[in-house]
């Protein structure tokens, strides 16, 4: 078994203390390790349970947060919350990476940072908490961890749609929008400014780390102005 220190750090990150740390050990044991150590079980069974626990808990969160929304948008948001990349980020925030038990070859090949492994371990840890502390403990863990993720995904879903909403709104009255951009800052911290222009009139402006993000922000401001009946203003930015 690994030393206590990594487990202490993990439990602190989880906000949960295991009564039986053997469950946590199993949740951190990859099949490559168990193949080299016949007495050790891999996390695969726990992963199976954890996947279901995570899906139910996140579904309940989305169902409450997206009141009145149809199934399609809720499904898209959920998929973005439990994808491999997101779960790998959660694994890092839970301090799991250094404690994962891997076979020698898997470790040497970079398995400790492989998103597929990290995401599986997160699900296994959720299952371990579910077994050790009960369904409420597992649900609370998911909620604590995923609440900011839910907020970010819902905001992104709302904002990312602002450009298409603006285009659709203008199309109904036979008008179109185009965006012009100005780039500033060094390559490692570049920032774009976008303006939304309709019939030579600036309706919105926004900034972002990419042209897409800046255009989305500009479209959002333009929609607010249209809703409020406010005219645009200002001169077009220089194109890139």
């Amino acid at each position: 078994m690994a030393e206590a220190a990594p487990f202490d750090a993990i439990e602190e990150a989880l906000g949960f203390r295991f009564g039986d740390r053997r469950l946590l050990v199993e949740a951190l044991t990859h099949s490559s390790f168990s193949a080299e150590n016949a007495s050790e079980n891999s996390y695969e069974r726990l992963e199976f349970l954890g996947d279901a626990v995570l899906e139910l808990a996140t579904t309940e969160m989305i169902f409450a947060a997206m009141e009145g929304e149809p199934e399609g948008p809720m499904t898209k948001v959920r998929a973005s919350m439990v994808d491999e990349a997101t779960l790998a980020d959660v694994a890092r925030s839970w301090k799991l990476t250094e404690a994962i038990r891997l076979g020698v070859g898997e470790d040497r090949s970079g398995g400790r940072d492989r998103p597929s492994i990290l995401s599986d371990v997160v699900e296994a840890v959720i299952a371990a908490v579910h077994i050790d502390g009960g369904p409420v403990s597992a649900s609370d863990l998911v909620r604590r961890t995923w609440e900011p993720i839910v907020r970010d995904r819902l905001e992104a879903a709302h904002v990312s749609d602002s450009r298409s909403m603006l285009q659709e709104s203008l199309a109904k009255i036979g008008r179109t929008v185009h965006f012009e951009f100005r780039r500033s800052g060094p390559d490692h911290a570049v920032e774009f400014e976008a303006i939304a222009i309709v019939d030579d009139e600036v309706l919105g402006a926004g900034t972002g780390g990419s042209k897409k993000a800046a255009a989305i922000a500009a479209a959002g401001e333009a929609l607010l102005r249209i809703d409020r009946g406010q005219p645009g203003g200002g001169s077009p930015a220089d194109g890139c």
Side-chain angles (χ1 to χ4, degrees), residues 47 84 188 225:
E47 178 199 348
E84 198 172 85
H188 69 276
R225 286 185 173 179

Side-chain angles (χ1 to χ4, degrees), residues 22-176:
R22 289 176 299 179
L23 284 165
L24 180 55
V25 173
E26 183 174 331
L28 294 166
T29 303
H30 187 256
S31 57
S32 61
F33 185 93
S34 61
E36 296 175 5
N37 300 270
S39 63
E40 302 286 347
N41 294 323
S42 78
Y43 58 61
E44 291 178 355
R45 280 179 55 82
L46 289 174
E47 178 199 348
F48 173 77
L49 173 61
D51 175 69
V53 174
L54 176 62
E55 181 171 349
L56 176 59
T58 53
T59 298
E60 289 177 340
M61 294 173 70
I62 295 167
F63 187 80
M66 299 179 68
E67 185 176 358
E69 289 284 347
E71 178 185 2
M74 291 193 294
T75 299
K76 289 181 180 179
V77 171
R78 183 178 62 190
S80 74
M81 287 169 50
V82 296
D83 63 346
E84 198 172 85
T86 300
L87 267 63
D89 286 340
V90 169
R92 298 181 185 102
S93 73
W94 285 354
K95 316 296 185 185
L96 302 181
T97 54
E98 293 306 313
I100 297 173
R101 304 202 299 172
L102 298 167
V104 175
E106 187 67 48
D107 202 3
R108 287 176 177 171
S109 67
R112 195 169 300 281
D113 294 316
R114 189 166 295 132
S116 59
I117 292 178
L118 294 177
S119 61
D120 290 346
V121 169
V122 166
E123 292 176 342
V125 168
I126 291 171
V129 172
H130 180 89
I131 294 170
D132 190 76
V136 173
S137 294
S139 179
D140 287 347
L141 170 62
V142 172
R143 288 181 182 279
R144 286 194 303 273
T145 304
W146 265 267
E147 275 181 352
I149 298 174
V150 171
R151 288 196 298 269
D152 289 346
R153 297 299 190 270
L154 289 178
E155 182 179 348
H158 171 73
V159 170
S160 65
D161 197 47
S162 61
R163 184 163 52 177
S164 61
M165 288 175 62
L166 176 61
Q167 292 168 335
E168 291 169 6
S169 176
L170 292 171
K172 292 177 181 178
I173 55 175
R175 302 171 74 186
T176 59

